[in-house]
Amino acid sequence: MADGVTGVVTLSPEEGERVRGAAAGLGDDAQFDDITRPELMEARRTGDIALVHSWELVTAVDGPGTRMTMFMSGCPLRCQYCHNPDTWEMKTGTLERVEDVVKRIKRYKPIFNASGGGLTISGGEPLFQLSFTRRVLKEVHDAGIHTTIDTAGYLGARLRDEDLDNIDLVLLDVKSGDEETYRKVTQRELQPTLDFGDRLNKMGKAVWIRFVVVPDLTDSPENVENVANIVARWKSNVERVEVLPFHNMGKDKWDNLGMNYQLADTKPPKPEDVEKIRDVFRSKGLEVY
């Protein structure tokens, strides 16, 4: 996304033909012509190969400095306001070998060093294709590049402690503050995110919280207070809270996929309402943007 300040460059296009059905071993990228379906499934299990949705080189979002953001395919959540619903199913993207991805990221190390940036793995959900993500994070981190994951935390229990050692920063999306609202937003349970946040807090892992303000969905005073109280208990390791206004720029993707976009008539929140919500987080002693 671009906000008038942030510069965004989409890498062209993903250095490979975008394929459908790759999760079923049906990718038609020429470099994988000689791989059988069982071999491809095994390669995905070991993290040798994954389905990467897209790439961006971004300034001032997705973590500090200039970030190379790699969007992974696959996500267990079904967020009503998701602007990348095409990442949910393992159907669209580019089959990538882990060594090629690491090599590509390392080429940008001078830019990362100059800007204080690094790699961010997003999605979809970066922990969905965990074996691949795990290997990329280790190799990139070992190369001295700052690493970040942008996650809802639902699959956080899958990360080992040594995996977290290879992650410098976690962007944690706390989508709602009570079970009923969270399930309405995501069709999933809140508790795994809370457990993951508690674990990160215990480890002292640097975290940036993200909360999206959606009118008539996540913006009730009760829900906002609940989210703020949850985040406040992690105050010792939460470096900042980003309160983000809803936008419907993903509607076209929903339409193109033949999916019902329930928020088609929802307008972005008023700036003054977003600021009031930011003040709730500030009242808990949190750094808020």
Side-chain angles (χ1 to χ4, degrees):
M1 71 183 73
D3 56 14
V5 176
T6 299
V8 178
V9 177
T10 300
L11 302 187
S12 178
E14 276 85 33
E15 298 189 12
E17 182 181 356
R18 296 179 67 76
V19 298
R20 297 191 63 81
L26 302 177
D28 57 4
D29 197 321
Q31 66 173 316
F32 298 105
D33 280 349
D34 58 347
I35 293 183
T36 65
R37 174 174 174 168
E39 287 172 338
L40 181 57
M41 294 302 98
E42 177 63 13
R44 290 190 55 230
R45 186 190 68 79
T46 60
D48 289 337
I49 293 173
L51 193 65
V52 176
H53 178 266
S54 54
W55 300 79
E56 285 182 347
L57 191 63
V58 187
T59 302
V61 295
D62 296 335
T66 298
R67 312 298 299 181
M68 173 177 278
T69 302
M70 179 173 66
F71 297 90
M72 302 295 295
S73 290
C75 184
L77 273 60
R78 296 294 181 263
C79 298
Q80 288 192 36
Y81 55 78
C82 180
H83 57 271
N84 285 320
D86 49 332
T87 65
W88 289 356
E89 305 291 344
M90 296 286 292
K91 293 181 178 179
T92 305
T94 304
L95 288 172
E96 301 276 6
R97 297 185 188 275
V98 66
E99 59 265 28
D100 295 334
V101 164
V102 171
K103 182 178 179 180
R104 187 181 313 170
I105 295 165
K106 286 180 179 179
R107 289 205 302 261
Y108 288 83
K109 186 175 179 180
I111 296 175
F112 301 148
N113 289 344
S115 69
L119 169 70
T120 298
I121 305 183
S122 185
E125 167 56 57
L127 306 183
F128 195 81
Q129 299 185 79
L130 179 61
S131 296
F132 184 87
T133 295
R134 171 181 286 143
R135 290 181 60 182
V136 171
L137 287 168
K138 176 169 176 49
E139 293 196 40
V140 170
H141 192 261
D142 285 350
I145 296 173
H146 184 276
T147 56
T148 297
I149 60 168
D150 180 4
T151 177
Y154 185 77
L155 301 177
R158 301 178 70 189
L159 287 170
R160 305 174 303 208
D161 286 350
E162 52 263 41
D163 297 326
L164 287 167
D165 289 340
N166 294 318
I167 300 171
D168 295 304
L169 172 67
V170 176
L171 307 182
L172 183 60
D173 299 316
V174 181
K175 298 174 185 291
S176 292
D178 64 82
E179 285 288 353
E180 181 179 356
T181 305
Y182 196 90
R183 182 173 288 278
K184 184 177 180 181
V185 172
T186 69
Q187 298 184 30
R188 297 293 184 179
E189 303 81 30
L190 170 62
Q191 193 60 47
T193 296
L194 302 183
D195 293 342
F196 186 53
D198 288 342
R199 181 182 174 197
L200 295 173
N201 176 255
K202 185 176 180 180
M203 295 181 68
K205 180 66 62 177
V207 170
W208 291 8
I209 296 293
R210 287 175 162 177
F211 173 63
V212 180
V213 179
V214 185
D216 300 319
L217 184 62
T218 68
D219 67 339
S220 72
E222 296 81 9
N223 189 53
V224 170
E225 184 72 18
N226 286 339
V227 175
N229 285 335
I230 289 168
V231 177
R233 76 191 198 201
W234 304 329
K235 187 161 54 176
S236 62
N237 65 304
V238 169
E239 296 182 347
R240 62 194 285 173
V241 177
E242 296 179 346
V243 177
L244 306 173
F246 161 79
H247 64 75
N248 59 9
M249 289 188 288
K251 180 180 182 300
D252 288 345
K253 288 187 178 181
W254 286 73
D255 292 342
N256 291 338
L257 292 168
M259 298 167 59
N260 177 32
Y261 188 58
Q262 298 181 50
L263 302 177
D265 297 325
T266 301
K267 305 297 183 184
K270 296 177 181 178
E272 57 268 30
D273 291 338
V274 175
E275 198 58 33
K276 288 179 182 177
I277 290 173
R278 290 187 175 117
D279 284 340
V280 174
F281 286 89
R282 291 187 181 109
S283 72
K284 311 292 182 182
L286 296 158
E287 186 75 20
V288 184
Y289 293 85

